[in-house]
């Protein structure tokens, strides 16, 4: 008896639904993702077993490197622009469009007010290299508030004006001298800013 030959048929798979899903996923990630800016200095935070998450919005980030230099940053560029404008008006300094563009793109600002104009006049790629050795001073001015406190107060004022609840997060290096962190916290307490988050890296209890 002869073998029955089965006619081979080509297999056709409709890829349209898969393409639609891929486009939807790509669109979702594009709309929800945020770009991480390069911080002014690299900080190795100490370990902690705390799992409390730092809020993602309306946060004033205080970055402290291992030598004690202090840098400030806000999560929203518009808020940072408003704070810098406020600080400029206090010191009688105005900023041009290029300088304000650098304010919007910078992750942190950490120079004395006397050097802020010079910092913001640099190319965007040179900002961090210039301010790494500077930092915002914590020494009081004529017995009053320090520049660090003036920056914090300006941020509080801008947030209050916009009806936002400001949160403060401190990210200090594990090798930062204790006296530096203590002085910074004391200056915050003098301003009645007694609640803040300490950013650490999570480690297991047995570690």
């Amino acid at each position: 008896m002869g073998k029955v030959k089965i006619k081979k048929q080509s297999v056709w798979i409709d890829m349209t639904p898969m393409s639609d899903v891929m486009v939807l996923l790509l669109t979702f990630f594009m709309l929800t993702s945020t770009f991480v800016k390069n911080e002014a200095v690299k900080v190795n935070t100490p370990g902690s077993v705390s799992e409390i998450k730092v809020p993602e919005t309306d946060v004033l980030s205080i970055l402290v490197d291992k030598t004690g230099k202090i840098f400030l940053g806000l999560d929203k560029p518009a808020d940072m622009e408003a704070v810098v404008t406020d600080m400029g008006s206090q010191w009688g300094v105005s900023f041009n469009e290029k300088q304000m563009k650098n304010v919007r793109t910078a992750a942190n600002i950490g120079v004395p007010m006397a050097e802020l104009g010079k910092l913001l006049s640099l190319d965007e790629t040179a900002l961090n290299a210039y301010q790494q050795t500077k930092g915002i001073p914590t020494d009081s001015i004529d017995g009053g508030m320090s520049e660090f406190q003036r920056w914090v107060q300006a941020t509080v004022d801008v947030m209050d004006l916009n009806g936002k609840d400001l949160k403060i997060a401190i990210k200090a290096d594990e090798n930062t001298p204790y006296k530096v962190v203590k002085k910074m916290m004391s200056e915050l307490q003098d301003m009645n800013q007694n609640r803040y988050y300490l950013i650490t890296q999570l480690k297991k209890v047995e570690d």
Side-chain angles (χ1 to χ4, degrees):
M1 182 175 179
K3 293 182 178 180
V4 178
K5 292 184 178 181
I6 301 175
K7 186 179 180 181
K8 294 183 179 180
Q9 295 181 350
S10 60
V11 178
W12 181 79
I13 300 176
D14 186 4
M15 299 295 291
T16 304
M18 184 176 292
S19 300
D20 292 341
V21 171
M22 292 300 295
V23 171
L24 288 173
L25 287 173
L26 180 61
T27 304
F28 170 78
F29 286 118
M30 289 177 63
L31 294 176
T32 58
S33 61
T34 55
F35 295 97
V36 178
K37 299 177 181 178
N38 291 326
E39 292 181 330
V41 291
K42 183 178 177 60
V43 170
N44 296 318
T45 55
S48 170
V49 296
S50 174
E51 296 185 8
I52 299 175
K53 292 185 177 180
V54 178
E56 296 182 358
T57 58
D58 303 332
V59 178
L60 172 63
S61 300
I62 303 176
L63 189 67
V64 191
D65 74 357
K66 60 184 178 182
T67 65
K69 304 289 190 306
I70 295 177
F71 307 83
L72 300 180
L74 284 164
D75 56 289
K76 291 185 175 62
D79 291 337
M80 195 64 192
E81 185 177 358
V83 172
V84 170
T85 301
D86 189 336
M87 290 294 291
S89 65
Q90 294 183 40
W91 261 263
V93 180
S94 58
F95 305 101
N96 57 38
E97 180 56 33
K98 177 186 176 181
Q99 291 171 322
M100 295 310 296
K101 179 182 178 182
N102 280 335
V103 171
R104 293 188 290 268
T105 57
N108 314 96
I109 289 179
V111 294
M113 277 301 299
E115 299 186 45
L116 183 57
K118 182 178 179 180
L119 170 71
L120 298 178
S121 297
L122 300 173
D123 291 335
E124 181 181 340
T125 56
L127 294 178
N128 288 344
Y130 178 83
Q131 62 180 342
Q132 281 180 353
T133 59
K134 305 295 181 178
I136 296 176
T138 55
D139 299 325
S140 62
I141 303 173
D142 298 327
M145 299 175 71
S146 67
E147 286 192 28
F148 169 71
Q149 289 177 311
R150 299 277 286 272
W151 275 101
V152 175
Q153 187 60 54
T155 306
V156 171
D157 294 341
V158 167
M159 291 300 193
D160 286 345
L161 187 63
N162 295 322
K164 298 180 179 180
D165 181 23
L166 176 67
K167 279 81 72 175
I168 297 176
I170 300 174
K171 184 178 181 181
D173 193 277
E174 60 183 354
N175 294 318
T176 302
Y178 172 73
K179 63 179 182 180
V180 174
V181 179
K182 183 177 184 299
K183 181 177 182 180
M184 180 185 62
M185 290 182 174
S186 295
E187 293 199 359
L188 289 173
Q189 291 171 353
D190 290 343
M191 303 172 63
N192 294 321
Q193 297 294 332
N194 299 311
R195 298 186 64 182
Y196 35 77
Y197 297 85
L198 296 177
I199 300 178
T200 58
Q201 46 185 328
L202 184 64
K203 67 176 183 179
K204 297 180 181 179
V205 178
E206 56 267 21
D207 293 342

